[in-house]
Amino acid sequence: MSEAEPKLAGKVALVTGAASGIGEASARKLSANGAALVLSDINESGAAALASELVATGGKAIAIRHDVTQPDDWERIIALTVENFGGLDILVNNAGIPGDNTGLMDLDLSKWHSVLSVNLDGVFLGLRYAGPALEKRGGGSVINVSSILGKVGLPGAAAYCASKGGVSLLSKSAALEWAPLKIRVNSVHPGFVETPLVDQALQNHEDAAGMRELLVAAHPLGRLGQAEEIANAVAFLASDEASFMTGSEMVIDGGYTAQ
Ligand SMILES: NC(=O)c1ccc[n+]([C@@H]2O[C@H](COP(=O)([O-])OP(=O)(O)OC[C@H]3O[C@@H](n4cnc5c(N)ncnc54)[C@H](O)[C@@H]3O)[C@@H](O)[C@H]2O)c1
């Protein structure tokens, strides 16, 4: 590869939850690095707007309405990926939802299921349905977006923490199972990042401004993260620069879990 050639030229990447926040930033970064992008989201117009923008700036991208909790949607998006771009090399299982700051003694089973369904079932289904396409290419890279809350707990976030902890070990199991297939599987663990998801979680608190200050103070670097800072890690794990990394947990948290 020449110095000037983008790192992901010729690669095809599918990013779930690509209409907003970390997914959007990751899609932009992967596209800037030369990958063709399949943008998945339940927010179809948001994903379509991003696809148009990437295409207008010389990238390759399509947007598909896709609910990560639905096996049929996964079958369809993988088929469309192969049909449009010839295969799949990179899967970013990013779509996720926050809990609603409900204590365990008041947490409904239905609420528990809704968080687990998107954040954990969605990642399982991504692996399950994208796996054969990655294998067909002779290998690839899967990046599962977990969280610092997949490593440490938080009161009022039991379902979210359980889902993200699940993503870590699901990733490691997949990494071991697929190492012989040259499919690398890693998880990323962002601290609190300025995105609509965090805004929504803060709005569920009585004192949103006070809670925000507490969150900032919990990050030794003295601020929340930016989506682009997580996207940089996603793009690195997607590339051959991370060729000896699989089953690892990449923490990007301004020092939150160092304490
Ligand atoms: N923002 C943070 O502080 C933070 C920290 C750690 C981990 N994360 C994780 O990063 C990921 C992205 O979060 P974000 O902050 O960018 O959130 P966001 O709300 O900005 O974006 C999430 C996107 O996922 C989409 N989505 C939701 N449910 C979906 C479904 N069933 N199928 C397909 N798409 C769906 C939404 O429409 C949205 O576009 C999530 O997995 C989240 O748990 C976020």
Side-chain angles (χ1 to χ4, degrees):
M1 190 189 289
S2 78
E3 285 281 318
E5 194 176 345
K7 289 183 194 120
L8 300 176
K11 302 286 188 195
V12 179
L14 193 169
V15 180
T16 68
S20 172
I22 292 168
E24 177 185 347
S26 298
R28 286 182 189 282
K29 182 78 185 183
L30 295 172
S31 176
N33 285 357
L37 263 296
V38 179
L39 309 175
S40 133
D41 208 292
I42 47 172
N43 174 359
E44 190 173 11
S45 59
L50 178 59
S52 304
E53 196 191 316
L54 295 180
V55 169
T57 50
K60 286 185 189 162
I62 56 170
I64 295 168
R65 192 198 180 280
H66 172 231
D67 181 342
V68 295
T69 67
Q70 300 303 313
D72 290 352
D73 279 16
W74 273 107
E75 242 178 85
R76 195 173 63 93
I77 200 167
I78 298 299
L80 287 170
T81 300
V82 173
E83 195 180 306
N84 279 272
F85 295 129
L88 178 67
D89 305 287
I90 298 157
L91 170 66
V92 184
N93 279 315
N94 162 77
I97 58 171
D100 62 1
N101 191 34
T102 304
L104 262 176
M105 293 189 198
D106 297 311
L107 186 60
D108 290 340
L109 185 59
S110 61
K111 185 67 198 176
W112 166 270
H113 279 154
S114 72
V115 173
L116 269 287
S117 158
V118 178
N119 294 2
L120 186 55
D121 295 1
V123 176
F124 158 66
L125 290 171
L127 290 162
R128 167 73 183 76
Y129 285 92
L134 295 166
E135 183 183 13
K136 255 189 207 135
R137 291 285 255 207
S141 174
V142 179
I143 298 103
N144 292 329
V145 181
S146 175
S147 170
I148 48 171
L149 299 181
K151 300 186 69 63
V152 297
L154 186 73
Y160 186 80
C161 290
S163 71
K164 294 300 186 179
V167 168
S168 290
L169 281 178
L170 173 57
S171 303
K172 288 185 199 299
S173 298
L176 296 179
E177 210 173 296
W178 291 352
L181 306 179
K182 297 190 170 39
I183 303 171
R184 297 183 294 104
V185 184
N186 293 287
S187 54
V188 295
H189 300 259
F192 286 84
V193 178
E194 309 264 13
T195 70
L197 178 139
V198 164
D199 286 345
Q200 193 190 324
L202 284 175
Q203 277 159 24
N204 290 326
H205 277 269
E206 278 167 25
D207 176 15
M211 187 61 200
R212 191 173 200 290
E213 269 178 40
L214 282 178
L215 281 186
V216 167
H219 295 73
L221 287 181
R223 62 178 176 84
L224 303 189
Q226 298 298 316
E228 292 71 23
E229 295 175 304
I230 313 308
N232 289 338
V234 168
F236 168 69
L237 288 170
S239 77
D240 288 342
E241 288 179 346
S243 50
F244 201 48
M245 288 183 73
T246 198
S248 77
E249 301 177 359
M250 189 179 269
V251 176
I252 313 131
D253 70 351
Y256 186 109
T257 53
Q259 302 168 93

